[in-house]
Amino acid sequence: MHISCYKRFQWFISNYKDYLQIIAEGEMVKILDVGGHQWNGSVDDILNECSPHQLDVLDICDGNGVTIIPRDPYCWAEIPDESYHFIYSLNTFAHIEYFWLTIKEMQRITKKGGIVLIITPSMRYDGCYPYACWAINKDGLAALSKWSGLTMINASVAGVPDMNCDDAWDFPLDDAMLIALKGTSVHYDFPKLNYQRRFVSPSDQKASLIKRIEMIIKKDPNKIKYWIEKHKGRISFYGAGDLCYKLLSYISKESIGVIVYENKPTMIEFEIKKMEWVCKNDKNIPIIITVSTNYLLPEIKRELKRCGFTDIYYLRDFLCDLEKQS
């Protein structure tokens, strides 16, 4: 499961768990995961917020967590009409050959007032397991909702709750997300993802960040020097590419702590170290993550923390600090 999909599901449960409790009328919330064979991540920890609940997992083959394997993948005779309060499918519709039949079954077995949630890539890619058939945009999800007899609450592509949410929401294939209701008469203020923040390619991000660095230095060549003096007198970097090299050109050598990178470095003027090679003292000075692939940043930060680094900055936050500095 892509981390961006995980974040959107987390947002959904946080904002819809109260509604699901209401329609369950004091009983367990009955939930079905369509395509939930846990071979690439799980959302069980998020579902624990929606308690008490009963979770069934439907897939076309046996696997970790699967509880229902229908004889016919497009006609789930094993499941009675209106069985579930909430049915979701995460990163599965792209792999279903005839997904319009799947959503019809999802609509059939959803209780009146129940919710259907679909998250799927909106852009083409050549994937696997066992097919990668479709990419669906916002209008496509709206059409699916209408055709299946559901009432659309919200359809979005690269939808975010606000434009300043963390980079884990961003994904190269721009998640499409449908929230739909079975029925039309429920009076409830359903939250929506009203903002769109499409994925920006790493090369475009890098060019934008380099330009931003140049503008900051043009206004005041000593900005980075003053920031370093306020933060233990030295600074380290994760990443040995163009962004790091650009910043190093404005920093004296005695102010450089360590440059950390796990892959083959592109710089030969400086010593590059792997995370585990960095001594304990060097892990206490600020380290800036100079990587332009946004969706990788949370994982890099987790790894740095795991290795003992204590003062970690994303490059954009570091640049914000410089811009605010008087």
Side-chain angles (χ1 to χ4, degrees):
M1 180 188 310
H2 314 129
I3 183 63
S4 58
C5 177
Y6 182 91
K7 295 292 288 189
R8 286 179 171 84
F9 189 78
Q10 189 176 48
W11 172 89
F12 174 87
I13 292 298
S14 177
N15 285 277
Y16 280 77
K17 61 185 178 183
D18 291 344
Y19 173 75
L20 294 175
Q21 297 286 354
I22 290 170
I23 62 172
E25 298 180 331
E27 299 181 356
M28 284 197 300
V29 179
K30 296 192 69 178
I31 302 173
L32 178 67
D33 179 344
V34 175
H37 177 189
Q38 294 178 8
W39 70 280
N40 188 23
S42 165
V43 292
D44 289 353
D45 58 326
I46 300 174
L47 286 173
N48 288 335
E49 295 182 28
C50 189
S51 182
H53 72 269
Q54 173 192 319
L55 174 65
D56 289 326
V57 178
L58 181 147
D59 214 313
I60 60 173
C61 60
D62 197 10
N64 186 19
V66 175
T67 59
I68 301 172
I69 305 174
R71 288 188 296 273
D72 183 335
Y74 300 107
C75 181
W76 306 336
E78 299 85 351
I79 306 176
D81 294 354
E82 300 186 0
S83 293
Y84 295 96
H85 301 102
F86 172 42
I87 301 179
Y88 66 89
S89 183
L90 308 178
N91 291 151
T92 298
F93 266 50
H95 305 284
I96 300 175
E97 290 179 288
Y98 312 113
F99 62 80
W100 48 92
L101 301 179
T102 302
I103 196 172
K104 198 75 170 178
E105 281 297 271
M106 293 169 73
Q107 186 272 350
R108 177 183 68 81
I109 64 175
T110 302
K111 292 178 179 287
K112 289 180 180 176
I115 298 288
V116 170
L117 171 71
I118 296 168
I119 302 177
T120 189
S122 71
M123 298 178 66
R124 174 192 173 277
Y125 78 111
D126 294 321
C128 56
Y129 196 73
Y131 319 104
C133 303
W134 310 100
I136 310 174
N137 62 24
K138 180 171 68 173
D139 291 339
L141 290 176
L144 267 183
S145 176
K146 182 179 179 181
W147 182 83
S148 67
L150 294 167
T151 301
M152 187 179 74
I153 295 171
N154 187 220
S156 62
V157 168
V160 291
D162 65 78
M163 296 304 287
N164 295 315
C165 62
D166 68 64
D167 295 324
W169 285 77
D170 299 332
F171 181 56
L173 303 179
D174 283 336
D175 289 331
M177 178 168 163
L178 172 69
I179 306 171
L181 172 76
K182 184 168 182 177
T184 58
S185 60
V186 175
H187 299 290
Y188 194 85
D189 185 16
F190 292 109
K192 301 176 182 179
L193 292 177
N194 291 320
Y195 302 93
Q196 183 183 69
R197 189 176 71 188
R198 285 189 175 272
F199 177 79
V200 180
S201 71
S203 59
D204 288 344
Q205 290 177 39
K206 184 190 296 183
S208 175
L209 288 166
I210 287 176
K211 184 176 181 181
R212 189 173 171 189
I213 293 167
E214 290 172 344
M215 289 177 65
I216 290 170
I217 297 302
K218 185 177 180 180
K219 288 182 179 178
D220 185 349
N222 293 311
K223 283 263 187 183
I224 297 179
K225 176 185 174 183
Y226 295 151
W227 191 94
I228 294 172
E229 288 174 354
K230 291 179 181 178
H231 294 79
K232 301 181 181 178
R234 294 166 71 220
I235 188 172
S236 294
F237 298 96
Y238 178 95
D242 294 339
L243 290 169
C244 180
Y245 195 81
K246 187 69 177 178
L247 288 167
L248 289 172
S249 66
Y250 302 114
I251 301 172
S252 62
K253 284 198 173 183
E254 58 269 22
S255 298
I256 299 170
V258 293
I259 300 169
V260 181
Y261 203 47
E262 299 302 295
N263 300 316
K264 184 179 179 181
T266 58
M267 296 182 294
I268 59 173
E269 299 97 320
F270 302 92
E271 181 184 5
I272 314 297
K273 294 184 177 182
K274 288 183 176 290
M275 289 187 199
E276 59 269 23
W277 296 350
V278 179
C279 69
K280 185 175 181 180
N281 288 341
D282 283 336
K283 290 180 179 179
N284 293 325
I285 64 175
I287 184 166
I288 315 299
I289 303 175
T290 59
V291 174
S292 58
T293 308
N294 277 347
Y295 67 93
L296 295 178
L297 296 179
E299 181 60 31
I300 293 171
K301 188 172 184 178
R302 281 193 293 271
E303 279 298 298
L304 288 168
K305 284 184 175 179
R306 185 184 63 79
C307 288
F309 290 87
T310 59
D311 197 7
I312 305 166
Y313 292 80
Y314 293 137
L315 178 56
R316 66 175 188 184
D317 295 331
F318 171 64
L319 297 180
C320 281
D321 270 6
L322 294 181
E323 288 166 339
K324 293 174 184 176
Q325 195 171 256
S326 57

